Amino acid sequence: MSMTTAVAPPTIDVPYFVRSLAGGPVLSVEPPPVPFGTARVAARPEPEGGWPPLRELLEGENLTLASLGVALRDAVEHVFDDVTDHVVTDALLGVRLHLQSPAEGQVAFDWPEAGRRITYLWDRQKVRLRIDPADAPEAPVEPAPAGEIRRRLLRLDRLDGAVRTPWADGGMSDTTAERRLRDLTDAGIAWLTTVVADHGWPGRALVGAEAATAASRLVQHAREHLDFRRHCLELMRDAAERGDLPWREIAYLTDELRVTDGLPQVYGTKFEPVDGVLVPWPVEDPQDVDRRRAALGMEPLADHTDRIRRRFPLTGREAS
């Protein structure tokens, strides 16, 4: 990742951030398959003198260890969901990385020429810098509030999937598994209620895209917690408006609540068994459903229905 590499479209040799050697703002580059395009990355604060930067900025004279830590934190937040490994140790390069959430983490760099280890620890409010002897014990990984929320959401989602997937594959006829799922969901909602009260909706910015989707699934499954689900839908709409949650999650919960109220669904995400096959619950204004789905980035209902039927073939009591 370079902050000073010159790039001429359509050749992209830097994965995320570029800046012309002649000056100008730092730009983020959309990775493939998105067509080539850049967007300005806000400087914190705006460089003195505006653009292009002053000579000392262009030549990196202001690049201190402290400012490098801020740049690392901001870059990590930008690419957190694109990074597959959030805990990485590279003994050859002398780098140890531990990311807990989009805005929480730490990284250590060995500096053998100086006999030192440089460690950055950060959250959304501050960046701390440690300089230790190279042979000193490594800084422990500190608890991170958003990181703990992220880990618990992902763990709940894994536990739910371990029970729900075989239950669904078996035609949703295992009553013991159904009770386990209900107990797991109730416990998860009791905890998520406190998270929402303390932090608001746990969206991408707080816990990353994967855990944010897990939170949405948990609320969709919580059929016994109607008031909380309605409250969450309001929070989720606000999150989607600011780009913190995919709009399709709003579609899933909207339809879930409509079906619970005995009303036609809006987006066609809920199904019921009819004559041994899954069919969409009645849809409001069905002639416009594909337009509504497309507006939220969802596939046509016919394609979705075919995929659902192949994924969940009905057997046992659910087919009757």
Side-chain angles (χ1 to χ4, degrees):
M1 183 171 63
S2 171
M3 302 298 285
T4 59
T5 299
V7 177
T11 301
I12 304 178
D13 60 1
V14 179
Y16 295 111
F17 299 101
V18 295
R19 185 178 69 190
S20 169
L21 287 172
V26 175
L27 302 176
S28 64
V29 180
E30 292 293 338
V34 177
F36 177 84
T38 59
R40 180 166 171 172
V41 177
R44 303 178 184 178
E46 186 83 5
E48 180 182 354
W51 301 107
L54 300 175
R55 180 192 59 79
E56 55 267 29
L57 297 181
L58 185 61
E59 295 179 359
E61 293 179 10
N62 70 323
L63 187 59
T64 65
L65 287 176
S67 63
L68 178 59
V70 174
L72 282 169
R73 179 197 63 184
D74 293 349
V76 165
E77 184 172 6
H78 196 82
V79 302
F80 182 84
D81 290 321
D82 299 324
V83 178
T84 55
D85 295 323
H86 291 138
V87 179
V88 178
T89 298
D90 190 318
L92 183 62
L93 294 177
V95 177
R96 288 159 295 280
L97 175 70
H98 192 112
L99 306 180
Q100 301 198 58
S101 76
E104 297 168 326
Q106 67 184 63
V107 61
F109 302 95
D110 290 342
W111 190 359
E113 294 84 357
R116 294 289 185 268
R117 178 185 302 120
I118 309 300
T119 303
Y120 294 101
L121 308 96
W122 66 84
D123 58 25
R124 198 172 297 278
Q125 285 73 42
K126 61 184 179 297
V127 177
R128 288 177 291 147
L129 169 65
R130 286 183 49 157
I131 303 178
D132 298 306
D135 58 355
E138 294 185 19
V141 176
E142 300 180 358
E148 291 298 323
I149 295 169
R150 178 178 182 273
R151 279 189 287 275
R152 187 158 181 177
L153 282 170
L154 294 177
R155 181 173 181 271
L156 283 168
D157 200 50
R158 286 194 298 269
L159 291 172
D160 183 275
V163 179
R164 191 174 301 275
T165 298
W167 173 69
D169 289 344
M172 308 176 193
S173 57
D174 185 340
T175 56
T176 299
E178 191 171 353
R179 284 194 298 272
R180 289 182 62 194
L181 286 170
R182 188 180 303 114
D183 291 344
L184 181 63
T185 299
D186 288 345
I189 290 296
W191 166 75
L192 186 61
T193 301
T194 66
V195 171
V196 167
D198 292 341
H199 301 275
W201 182 255
R204 288 171 173 166
L206 185 71
V207 296
E210 185 182 8
T213 299
S216 299
R217 274 196 292 265
L218 176 58
V219 173
Q220 290 172 43
H221 295 152
R223 296 184 175 179
E224 306 300 321
H225 303 267
L226 186 57
D227 290 342
F228 180 64
R229 297 169 94 198
R230 295 191 192 282
H231 176 54
C232 285
L233 181 58
E234 295 177 5
L235 298 178
M236 290 166 66
R237 285 186 185 279
D238 292 341
E241 289 282 358
R242 61 178 182 267
D244 207 24
L245 187 72
W247 276 103
R248 65 176 178 272
E249 302 298 338
I250 309 304
Y252 296 145
L253 187 53
T254 296
D255 282 352
E256 183 71 42
L257 290 171
R258 298 269 297 190
V259 169
T260 299
D261 291 340
L263 300 172
Q265 58 179 332
V266 179
Y267 300 101
T269 65
K270 303 305 170 187
F271 289 74
E272 61 178 339
V274 176
D275 297 329
V277 65
L278 285 172
V279 300
W281 184 272
V283 176
E284 184 175 81
D285 298 328
Q287 68 277 9
D288 289 332
V289 66
D290 283 343
R291 177 186 58 78
R292 295 193 295 268
R293 290 175 63 89
L296 302 190
M298 303 170 73
E299 65 186 341
L301 181 55
D303 294 344
H304 180 62
T305 299
D306 181 64
R307 185 163 55 84
I308 289 295
R309 288 172 176 169
R310 284 185 282 107
R311 175 65 184 85
F312 302 108
L314 293 184
T315 61
R317 68 183 177 94
E318 290 295 330
S320 59

